[in-house]
Amino acid sequence: MSRRFTSIKRRKSRQSTTTETVASQHDMPINYSVKENLSQVMETLGHSNDIVSRQFKIGKDNPLEALILFTDGLVDKDLVHNFIMKTLMIDVREVDLGEQITKEEVNFLEIIKDCSLPGAELSEISTFEELYENLLAGETILMLDGYSEALVVGSRGWEQRGIQEPSSEQVVRGPKDGFTETLQTNTALIRRRIKDPNLWIETQNIGKKTQTGVAIAYLNGVVDDGVVKEVKTRLKKINIDSILESGYIEQLIQDETFTPFPTINYSERPDAISAGILEGRVAILVDGTPFALLVPSLFVDFFQSPEDYYQRSDISSLVRLLRFFAFFLALLTPSAYIAVTTFHQEMIPTTLLISIAAQREGVPFPAYVEALIMEITFEILREAGIRLPRAVGSAISIVGTLILGQAAVEAGIVSAIMVIVVSLTAISSFVSPSYNMSFSVRLIRFLFMTLAATFGLFGIILGIIVMVMHLTSLRSFGIPYLSPMGPFNTEDQKDSLVRMPLQMLENRPRLINQKDIKREKGQNQKPPKPSK
């Protein structure tokens, strides 16, 4: 037994020694020799062609050997050539550095940082781990012979897409700018709208291989501190190699994994994200994607559009109620048709029943199979229209639907009334301003169709009860998913199913925000009537 314990101890000691060796290699300090540093960097990066190195000398009589490193395609070359290379090679060449370098109390690296380079973003690094992190992020590295530290000069300047109108969230009235794939541009678009010093933006890198920049933005003094702490905790727990899109973050930090309903909302509109921040929510922006996350997100949020607040309250309320009605149409229309035609024919007027029976006379399938065929066919056409090129996709989806629907009716595979039911269902699913909620409806619709084919209207009612029970059990960062309906909050009903006039929306959502409730500190007074 003693020998066994001794071997286990030795094995653990060897494992710890190996771990310490790997960690020491990552934290290896920068060498004093420029040539050794260049050799180490190029060997580690596999002599990649996009890593550009340039060795040159600074000074005239007693020149100092220097090295510039940057990644081609990630830097602004004009800045590197005109403000770094030109400054160090030409503007400083008349300075005699011999006497200064020989003095031990003089740190020439500090002289360059304080007096020579005009860049605003300058920092010192001392390890190769910091060097690789900054070099591969688009910064320029400056190393001097005889110094174990290096300078990081901010020089990011890659090609990027310009600010354009969001293609997935188009509005008739409202701003036309949208987020891009650059994190700094996205945070600037939010800063442009919220010019408050309490708007805090914190950035961190997530992903061992990608080192993707992730920023959280919130309004200090308005947001709930517990929500901010929970967001930071969940982001810190992410241990993954790559973050390529905000969908990675959404899946890794959501409250419930196995649910068809989205608990985190996303948008590529800066005005929508800014409005959420002003309500006391936390925005999560990911470098490389125009879609920003917004937490916590409630069920009613997925039926609201930024345009609701740019129109009059009566118009916005009508459109919002229409969205909820379309949600139930997209969810229950096929199942209601199956239940009524299969089990509850007495609920159909006699004239309509005779018409339906005449249409279904030559159809060989029951209503459930008929609806299943049409729904699956339409889903295939919809996915094909999305994946195909834009110029071809719309034509394929429209023409394919018309031709297949007409051909199926003429062939006697489906009835004409079923084509109407499926078309109404498809059109209703497009009314929702949130794509992820419409996708949830498309998924749950098949479950309701199965329940309707098995138990009729009783199955539909049972499915609705189970769905509501599931919705009440969901949370979004600790906030009940069905609020303000469950738990019921009278004050927040002003901006849930309908939207009251802006003069009446003086309070922020109470369950989301617990500190700075009032949007307007004073009383809302009506403007005086003009004198005759």
Side-chain angles (χ1 to χ4, degrees):
M1 293 292 291
S2 60
R3 291 181 180 178
R4 181 180 179 184
F5 288 142
T6 305
S7 61
I8 292 176
K9 288 182 179 179
R10 289 177 179 175
R11 195 180 308 151
K12 289 184 177 180
S13 64
R14 285 196 298 268
Q15 292 176 355
S16 61
T17 304
T18 306
T19 304
E20 292 175 359
T21 304
V22 174
S24 64
Q25 290 178 355
H26 284 290
D27 297 334
M28 184 185 301
I30 295 176
N31 299 320
Y32 287 91
S33 173
V34 166
K35 294 182 180 180
E36 292 182 4
N37 291 331
L38 177 60
S39 176
Q40 175 72 23
V41 170
M42 298 307 292
E43 183 179 354
T44 302
L45 299 179
H47 297 274
S48 301
N49 294 330
D50 60 337
I51 304 300
V52 180
S53 62
R54 174 71 160 87
Q55 289 181 275
F56 59 96
K57 297 183 182 298
I58 303 176
K60 182 179 180 182
D61 296 335
N62 190 6
L64 181 65
E65 190 172 355
L67 172 65
I68 284 284
L69 288 171
F70 62 88
T71 305
D72 189 16
L74 297 183
V75 301
D76 184 355
K77 287 188 176 181
D78 291 336
L79 187 148
V80 175
H81 294 159
N82 298 327
F83 292 95
I84 301 178
M85 303 281 296
K86 181 177 178 294
T87 301
L88 297 177
M89 296 180 67
I90 300 177
D91 297 343
V92 189
R93 65 182 177 180
E94 299 298 333
V95 180
D96 188 5
L97 306 176
E99 296 182 359
Q100 297 184 11
I101 294 173
T102 55
K103 296 180 180 179
E104 296 181 356
E105 66 273 7
V106 174
N107 189 340
F108 187 64
L109 201 67
E110 293 289 339
I111 295 177
I112 290 181
K113 184 175 70 171
D114 297 337
C115 305
S116 298
L117 291 180
E121 299 179 5
L122 287 173
S123 61
E124 286 190 19
I125 57 174
S126 57
T127 63
F128 278 99
E129 182 180 9
E130 296 172 318
L131 186 149
Y132 298 135
E133 180 180 348
N134 288 276
L135 175 64
L136 299 177
E139 311 292 7
T140 299
I141 309 297
L142 171 63
M143 289 185 284
L144 303 178
D145 200 34
Y147 290 86
S148 61
E149 295 85 15
L151 281 181
V152 177
V153 185
S155 59
R156 300 183 183 184
W158 49 77
E159 294 292 332
Q160 60 184 12
R161 180 173 62 93
I163 298 175
Q164 301 173 353
E165 181 181 3
S167 58
S168 61
E169 299 174 82
Q170 296 182 359
V171 296
V172 177
R173 181 176 182 178
K176 302 298 182 181
D177 57 342
F179 287 133
T180 67
E181 287 76 16
T182 305
L183 182 61
Q184 289 75 15
T185 303
N186 297 340
T187 55
L189 289 173
I190 297 178
R191 284 282 185 192
R192 180 183 175 187
R193 286 168 168 80
I194 306 177
K195 304 177 182 66
D196 192 324
N198 289 318
L199 176 62
W200 290 4
I201 300 177
E202 304 177 13
T203 307
Q204 58 180 305
N205 293 333
I206 301 179
K208 296 180 180 179
K209 303 298 183 183
T210 59
Q211 290 293 313
T212 307
V214 178
I216 61 171
Y218 57 91
L219 203 58
N220 185 44
V222 174
V223 68
D224 188 357
D225 295 334
V227 174
V228 177
K229 183 179 179 181
E230 183 66 21
V231 171
K232 294 180 179 179
T233 301
R234 296 187 186 185
L235 289 178
K236 288 181 180 178
K237 289 182 179 179
I238 295 178
N239 186 12
I240 193 172
D241 282 347
S242 61
I243 298 292
L244 301 178
E245 213 272 338
S246 58
Y248 284 58
I249 301 292
E250 178 183 356
Q251 298 175 58
L252 292 171
I253 68 173
Q254 61 185 355
D255 290 69
E256 185 67 34
T257 302
F258 301 101
T259 177
F261 295 97
T263 56
I264 297 178
N265 200 2
Y266 64 82
S267 175
E268 56 177 332
R269 296 186 59 88
D271 56 334
I273 297 298
S274 300
I277 293 175
L278 291 171
E279 285 186 344
R281 306 175 196 262
V282 179
I284 304 175
L285 300 96
V286 181
D287 191 24
T289 176
F291 292 95
L293 306 179
L294 199 62
V295 296
S297 297
L298 310 179
F299 181 74
V300 295
D301 295 337
F302 297 94
F303 298 91
Q304 299 176 2
S305 172
E307 195 175 4
D308 294 349
Y309 302 91
Y310 308 145
Q311 303 282 359
R312 297 200 319 265
S313 59
D314 52 351
I315 299 175
S316 301
S317 300
L318 177 62
V319 174
R320 191 175 291 182
L321 289 174
L322 185 64
R323 294 192 192 111
F324 281 100
F325 180 69
F327 168 78
F328 287 103
L329 279 181
L331 185 66
L332 301 176
T333 300
S335 57
Y337 172 79
I338 294 171
V340 171
T341 56
T342 306
F343 295 98
H344 312 283
Q345 296 88 351
E346 67 278 1
M347 299 180 63
I348 306 176
T350 304
T351 307
L352 180 59
L353 181 61
I354 295 174
S355 176
I356 294 176
Q359 294 178 24
R360 289 187 46 81
E361 184 177 0
V363 177
F365 305 109
Y368 172 68
V369 177
E370 185 184 3
L372 202 62
I373 292 173
M374 289 301 297
E375 286 291 342
I376 294 176
T377 303
F378 185 81
E379 293 296 333
I380 293 174
L381 288 172
R382 174 152 48 181
E383 286 299 314
I386 294 175
R387 307 305 167 194
L388 285 172
R390 183 174 300 179
V392 183
S394 58
I396 290 295
S397 59
I398 296 174
V399 175
T401 304
L402 292 175
I403 294 177
L404 282 178
Q406 184 179 0
V409 173
E410 293 179 355
I413 299 176
V414 297
S415 59
I417 187 67
M418 178 57 70
V419 176
I420 297 175
V421 169
V422 173
S423 301
L424 178 61
T425 303
I427 295 172
S428 300
S429 64
F430 289 127
V431 176
S432 175
S434 176
Y435 177 76
N436 47 357
M437 180 58 74
S438 64
F439 197 91
S440 302
V441 174
R442 292 161 57 185
L443 179 64
I444 304 174
R445 183 190 306 149
F446 290 96
L447 298 178
F448 274 95
M449 289 167 55
T450 304
L451 289 173
T454 307
F455 303 105
L457 289 178
F458 300 102
I460 296 177
I461 296 174
L462 177 63
I464 293 175
I465 294 174
V466 173
M467 185 183 71
V468 173
M469 292 175 60
H470 176 69
L471 288 172
T472 55
S473 67
L474 295 179
R475 295 290 186 274
S476 180
F477 284 80
I479 308 299
Y481 190 58
L482 280 184
S483 59
M485 279 81 73
F488 188 81
N489 189 296
T490 306
E491 182 66 25
D492 290 347
Q493 299 302 319
K494 297 178 181 179
D495 190 19
S496 57
L497 298 179
V498 297
R499 184 186 77 79
M500 303 302 289
L502 290 177
Q503 294 84 351
M504 301 180 64
L505 301 179
E506 67 274 5
N507 294 332
R508 295 184 175 89
R510 292 184 178 272
L511 286 178
I512 295 177
N513 182 277
Q514 299 292 334
K515 293 194 295 186
D516 191 2
I517 298 294
K518 290 286 184 180
R519 284 192 177 102
E520 300 182 13
K521 303 302 180 183
Q523 294 290 334
N524 293 322
Q525 298 180 356
K526 296 182 179 179
K529 296 182 179 180
S531 58
K532 297 182 180 179

